[in-house]
Amino acid sequence: MLRRFLLVFILLGCFWLNPVWAKTPRPLAEVPIHTTTGQKISLKEYHAKVVLFVVFSTSCGDCVQTIQLMSKMQQDYGPFGFQAVAAAGDDNAKFQVALFMDRYRPSFPIGYLDQEEIIKLCDVPKGMRPFVPIALFIDQKNMVRFQYYGDNAFFKQEDHGMRSLVEGLLREAGAKIRFGEKK
């Protein structure tokens, strides 16, 4: 019972903590994510899955922790319809991503975006320079339901906040998962 109360409390808190400049819910913008192999990832190809998409910097310690958490979440929730995807947003991300992937070995697809693509995908107002990581929680209908910038209190919750939102979206999608349960 306490776990359910905490989940509801966190989900409600996420609505109030969500920054006003990130319009949510909103349809997912069609922005291809470039990969080191020359192929592109479309987040819309994961339609019918719950997606956690993160824009990160290859030189950011908090970003590395987020990527490592996403790898664990991919293993835990992948069988229930979850997909983690990330993109580096550094100025030289095209050249940094391969080294980053070799070092941290994520269990999900990673690519890179340029500044204009980040602005479009993350609905960033002109002139604003948001903190990374930027986390977008996308439901199975390709709607961005929640979005948080790295300086938001949401990231202070460590893995509990991310896991709670993903579990809630998976339940909405019909996944048979209980709070805190891992496969």
Side-chain angles (χ1 to χ4, degrees), residues 73-134:
M73 292 173 65
Q74 182 62 49
Q75 292 170 353
D76 294 344
Y77 302 127
F80 298 104
F82 170 75
Q83 181 62 55
V85 182
D90 306 88
D91 289 335
N92 57 355
K94 180 177 183 176
F95 306 105
Q96 299 274 340
V97 168
L99 295 171
F100 184 90
M101 290 173 59
D102 285 343
R103 182 172 183 187
Y104 296 105
R105 307 241 179 246
S107 62
F108 57 89
I110 289 187
Y112 60 92
L113 295 170
D114 66 28
Q115 187 177 15
E116 287 180 27
E117 293 165 331
I118 294 169
I119 289 169
K120 183 177 179 183
L121 186 59
C122 298
D123 193 34
V124 178
K126 290 189 185 236
M128 181 188 174
R129 195 163 168 90
F131 288 88
V132 290
I134 304 171

Side-chain angles (χ1 to χ4, degrees), residues 29-101:
E30 183 59 50
V31 176
I33 300 162
H34 313 280
T35 67
T36 57
T37 63
Q39 296 179 331
K40 295 185 180 183
I41 301 167
S42 170
L43 291 175
K44 290 188 176 185
E45 77 185 53
Y46 299 112
H47 143 88
K49 289 191 173 197
V50 170
V51 176
L52 170 55
F53 173 70
V54 170
V55 176
F56 69 98
S57 169
T58 58
S59 61
C60 161
D62 290 338
C63 297
V64 170
Q65 288 177 342
T66 299
I67 296 298
Q68 290 171 334
L69 170 61
M70 291 172 68
S71 282
K72 291 176 190 170
M73 292 173 65
Q74 182 62 49
Q75 292 170 353
D76 294 344
Y77 302 127
F80 298 104
F82 170 75
Q83 181 62 55
V85 182
D90 306 88
D91 289 335
N92 57 355
K94 180 177 183 176
F95 306 105
Q96 299 274 340
V97 168
L99 295 171
F100 184 90
M101 290 173 59

